[in-house]
Amino acid sequence: MAHIQVLPPDEARKIAAGEVIDRPAALVRELIDNAIDAGGSRIELSIDGGGSRRIEVIDDGAGMEKEDLELCWRTHATSKIRSMDDLKSAETLGFRGEALAAAAAVSHLEILSSLDSREAWRLEVGPGEALGARIERCQRKQGTSVRATGLFDTIPARKRFLKREWSEANLCRLTFIDKALAFPAISFRLTLDGKLKSALPVASSLKERFASLLLDSQQAAYLHEIHNAMTHFSVSIVVGGPELARPNRCQQYVFANGRRIQDFSLMQALEYGTQGWFPNGYHPVGAIFVDIDPAMADFNIHPAKREVRFADASTIHHAVTSCLRDFIRHRNQQYAGQIYTVPELEHLFAAESVPQFQNKPNQENQYTVVQTLAQDALHDPPPEYAPQALLARPLTPEFTSSFVPQTVQAAQTEFTVQTSSPAFHSGHGLRYVGKAFNIFLIIEKDNRLFFIDQHAAHERILYEQFLARPVPIQELLVAIPFQTESEEDDLFLTTRRDALERLGVVIKMDCGSWRIEALPAHWNLSDSETVRTILDLKRAGADLAEHWLATLACHRAVKEGDDLDERVALALAEAALALPVLRCPHGRPILFEMNRDLLLRAVKRV
Ligand code: ADP
Ligand code: MG
């Protein structure tokens, strides 16, 4: 007896359908895609029972006439392309003609459609072909409704692998968000088990849609939208400022021609482009929308089109990072000197790291802010003055009141010292109160008190200077010879030699070994540290100059514990408060602010 059998068509279809529709959310995506492709301006999605019981998508798009309705659920039936060649110009989300066929193979499908609101038809089909399709007249306005019920009822194996109802419903909701993010000009509604969960009116921009889906109304103000158009593609970027920083990358999205894709390199570009704008360990929220000439991308490499192959991925990557950098530079100039105040910083860390924080103006919240400020300012705190255990403790009044004066007391101790030699008053109304914990310059201005990290502030000041004018170079009397340890090192030195030279590092290869012949003036590292610092730049990629200047600034800046003369301290503080960006080149804040009111509250003097 032969072992091979050709599967009956219905079985084969069910199996093939699994690739397209592996769970309810996949069907949700296909149906919304179809509604968008049909030009719908209002799209409604309803889900019952996590999608297994019912998924319904209603649109007001072009609709189908009777002949098309009869064909639409057939395998490889599509109106969107005629041949493989058309993929090069297909602007639609769908093109394989598989979705409705797969849906009919794994659920009971009911489609109502009308071209013109006068004549309407209703088609019923599946699950499987066995029942055949029935078509009859019905009533409907222009557009299409597709209802899938009993999903996977005839495929118990698949049904067993579904998650609980609520998590399948949640996956459907996430798919809905993906689609709604990319099409702000369409109004969307989502209903889960009869309850309206989301009603999105037409939005005037990507940014507005992003905010209404993912942020609360106060946060929307910190969202920005940037565009960059090139020959074969354009990118639109929605990005949140540091006020919306997140400790993870959950709210980062990448889209290509309206499809959410998994593209790690573009997500990376969002991070590179915003480097220095966010504290270490924090990430921007945002979305990158790439719109590309279909001839320059292959969308046909993943069954659910979740991946795309770009003909020129690195150009797109560069377009994203460069326009983000330009934007941040421009913005920093515009907002020169803007300082984070306490309420602004509330946003920075309220969202995730301090879940108990609410936007109610009561005393407890004020303390929370103080705590997060301190936590943030003391980035890698030596254990004696910001033990992690202390910060992790619940915010009891005892704890906060014991914590707040701790900082204040230090200031006061110094202040007593300062009064014996009168504190220096500057022309800009700054008063140098003194230094706390060997690192914080404490500056009073009107009712405000600034705690400035002397190292981080100086680092940023130098970094800005280096960016503004090139660092002078000094030729070495005796060149520093060195050996590389890997081919990667050699490749780096060979390919980036010119770039390094522009940064003041002159390197030559001679008789198979490398030599450093010149370095920036006042270079003060040992030979081995110098070599290591240069080779470490391998990891900087396109950001070589920024990394190098940050390193240079870090080495030159005053350190924690360095004693500063009062005049120097005040000059440093003045320069720091006038900086365009109040963050060190690695992204940490260089200062934080308290005010009189907050301190008076801390001792209940209200
Ligand atoms: P594809 O989208 O790849 O063409 P589908 O199986 O999703 O394949 O749909 C088959 C065809 O049915 C589409 O090409 C389109 O002509 C028609 N169709 C599906 N959904 C709709 C809709 N909501 N409105 C109008 N036409 C639709
Ligand atoms: Mg489709």
Side-chain angles (χ1 to χ4, degrees):
M1 198 183 96
H3 292 288
I4 298 180
Q5 280 189 353
V6 175
L7 288 172
D10 211 35
E11 288 304 309
R13 267 157 47 93
K14 272 201 254 176
I15 291 167
E19 245 187 51
V20 186
I21 298 169
D22 59 344
R23 60 178 354 120
L27 181 52
V28 166
R29 187 192 52 241
E30 293 295 343
L31 296 185
I32 298 182
D33 277 359
N34 280 346
I36 294 171
D37 283 346
S41 64
R42 284 175 41 196
I43 297 177
E44 293 188 31
L45 166 68
S46 320
I47 306 277
D48 288 338
S52 299
R53 208 155 46 224
R54 179 178 70 108
I55 296 174
E56 183 161 357
V57 171
I58 303 175
D59 69 57
D60 61 352
M64 283 179 271
E65 55 189 321
K66 184 178 180 224
E67 288 71 21
D68 283 338
L69 194 57
E70 278 172 320
L71 276 177
C72 71
W73 64 281
R74 299 276 182 181
T75 315
H76 310 309
T78 179
S79 57
K80 297 167 193 174
I81 58 169
R82 292 279 173 262
S83 72
M84 182 86 183
D85 250 10
D86 293 345
L87 279 187
K88 289 198 210 103
S89 54
E91 301 279 352
T92 49
L93 295 167
F95 50 74
R96 292 205 193 99
E98 285 176 339
L100 291 183
V106 296
S107 70
H108 179 93
L109 208 57
E110 204 185 329
I111 309 177
L112 282 70
S113 198
S114 167
L115 276 183
D116 53 11
S117 307
R118 271 174 291 161
E119 188 180 309
W121 292 90
R122 177 176 174 279
L123 174 101
E124 210 178 317
V125 62
E129 237 167 314
L131 293 170
R134 293 163 299 283
I135 192 157
E136 62 188 26
R137 276 188 188 278
C138 71
Q139 298 232 314
R140 203 204 179 283
K141 285 200 290 200
Q142 187 200 315
T144 304
S145 322
V146 182
R147 180 187 302 154
T149 47
L151 181 62
F152 301 134
D153 277 357
T154 54
I155 314 175
R158 167 74 17 108
K159 201 155 186 174
R160 264 203 307 279
F161 278 102
L162 293 185
K163 298 184 180 166
R164 285 160 201 253
E165 254 181 37
W166 61 263
S167 32
E168 291 297 339
N170 193 44
L171 291 172
C172 294
R173 191 182 62 87
L174 294 177
T175 303
F176 172 85
I177 290 176
D178 289 351
K179 295 278 84 161
L181 276 175
F183 294 92
I186 298 176
S187 83
F188 283 92
R189 283 162 75 90
L190 167 67
T191 307
L192 289 182
D193 293 316
K195 289 194 202 82
L196 180 67
K197 291 286 174 187
S198 185
L200 302 163
V202 170
S204 61
S205 63
L206 290 163
K207 172 174 99 166
E208 187 185 321
R209 178 55 63 82
F210 189 99
S212 63
L213 270 168
L214 301 169
L215 304 176
D216 65 40
S217 56
Q218 286 173 321
Q219 296 176 319
Y222 303 113
L223 211 54
H224 314 280
E225 186 168 333
I226 314 162
H227 301 274
N228 194 3
M230 314 293 277
T231 324
H232 291 293
F233 68 92
S234 65
V235 284
S236 300
I237 303 170
V238 172
V239 64
E243 301 83 357
L244 307 177
R246 300 278 190 267
N248 55 48
R249 299 164 119 200
C250 293
Q251 282 189 347
Q252 296 185 347
Y253 298 80
V254 180
F255 296 86
N257 292 7
R259 303 175 179 95
R260 170 116 190 247
I261 54 166
Q262 311 292 326
D263 190 311
F264 186 68
S265 127
L266 283 177
M267 230 142 114
Q268 215 44 36
L270 187 67
E271 300 272 334
Y272 284 151
T274 52
Q275 225 163 37
W277 206 27
F278 287 82
N280 279 348
Y282 282 83
H283 307 275
V285 303
I288 297 174
F289 301 87
V290 180
D291 256 307
I292 187 162
D293 174 350
M296 303 299 286
D298 189 352
F299 287 95
N300 199 22
I301 57 170
H302 187 279
K305 308 180 192 89
R306 270 198 291 271
E307 284 166 24
V308 180
R309 196 170 291 139
F310 294 115
D312 192 357
S314 64
T315 310
I316 299 176
H317 191 281
H318 183 256
V320 170
T321 47
S322 65
C323 76
L324 275 168
R325 287 213 187 103
D326 287 350
F327 167 76
I328 292 170
R329 205 168 299 138
H330 180 73
R331 192 181 147 75
N332 285 338
Q333 279 159 7
Q334 233 178 345
Y335 288 78
Q338 186 198 39
I339 291 170
Y340 283 116
T341 60
V342 173
E344 277 167 340
L345 270 168
E346 285 173 7
H347 285 284
L348 185 49
F349 293 100
E352 257 129 305
S353 37
V354 190
Q356 65 272 59
F357 181 80
Q358 299 283 317
N359 269 329
K360 281 178 282 160
N362 64 30
Q363 290 197 354
E364 239 169 51
N365 291 335
Q366 300 283 0
Y367 289 134
T368 315
V369 174
V370 174
Q371 186 204 15
T372 52
L373 289 174
Q375 191 171 8
D376 183 36
L378 309 175
H379 190 68
D380 271 319
E384 66 273 21
Y385 56 83
Q388 290 304 325
L390 242 188
L391 291 176
R393 278 216 320 236
L395 276 182
T396 59
E398 297 81 57
F399 164 55
T400 46
S401 52
S402 72
F403 181 74
V404 173
Q406 210 184 337
T407 321
V408 178
Q409 197 194 332
Q412 226 124 51
T413 321
E414 292 277 334
F415 180 71
T416 334
V417 176
Q418 291 300 327
T419 42
S420 57
S421 62
F424 188 91
H425 289 263
S426 95
H428 292 83
L430 301 186
R431 190 171 73 86
Y432 177 50
V433 178
K435 175 122 57 99
F437 308 127
N438 271 331
I439 186 159
F440 290 107
L441 309 180
I442 303 172
I443 301 292
E444 184 188 317
K445 184 182 184 344
D446 306 325
N447 281 329
R448 306 159 78 183
L449 203 55
F450 299 102
F451 292 76
I452 303 176
D453 174 332
Q454 64 178 27
H455 171 69
H458 195 204
E459 220 179 2
R460 184 82 214 191
I461 293 164
L462 292 171
Y463 181 75
E464 292 290 330
Q465 286 173 0
F466 295 157
L467 282 178
R469 50 194 122 81
V471 187
I473 306 182
Q474 194 167 23
E475 269 184 47
L476 302 179
L477 283 178
V478 183
I480 306 172
F482 68 98
Q483 303 286 334
T484 47
E485 278 170 10
S486 63
E487 273 181 38
E488 197 195 352
D489 285 349
D490 286 327
L491 186 69
F492 165 71
L493 293 174
T494 318
T495 52
R496 306 308 299 274
R497 191 151 34 170
D498 290 345
L500 286 168
E501 196 157 326
R502 283 193 293 277
L503 298 171
V505 182
V506 180
I507 295 182
K508 294 269 155 65
M509 165 64 120
D510 206 14
C511 306
S513 84
W514 292 96
R515 288 183 284 126
I516 304 172
E517 299 202 328
L519 283 168
H522 310 297
W523 185 257
N524 57 3
L525 293 190
S526 71
D527 290 0
S528 61
E529 281 175 319
T530 304
V531 171
R532 188 160 33 83
T533 310
I534 293 170
L535 290 177
D536 274 353
L537 289 170
K538 283 195 300 266
R539 284 184 258 125
D543 308 318
L544 189 78
E546 282 89 344
H547 266 77
W548 175 249
L549 296 181
T551 309
L552 209 57
C554 181
H555 290 311
R556 295 265 179 90
V558 295
K559 304 283 177 301
E560 175 180 353
D562 282 357
D563 265 334
L564 303 186
D565 169 85
E566 275 177 30
R567 274 161 202 278
V568 175
L570 196 64
L572 180 62
E574 257 183 61
L577 290 171
L579 276 171
V581 181
L582 291 173
R583 288 175 180 275
C584 80
H586 309 102
R588 280 195 297 123
I590 62 174
L591 59 87
F592 70 95
E593 181 187 340
M594 279 209 212
N595 56 45
R596 189 167 171 272
D597 190 43
L598 205 59
L599 293 176
L600 292 181
R601 277 165 185 270
V603 295
K604 310 252 185 294
R605 196 185 264 276
V606 270

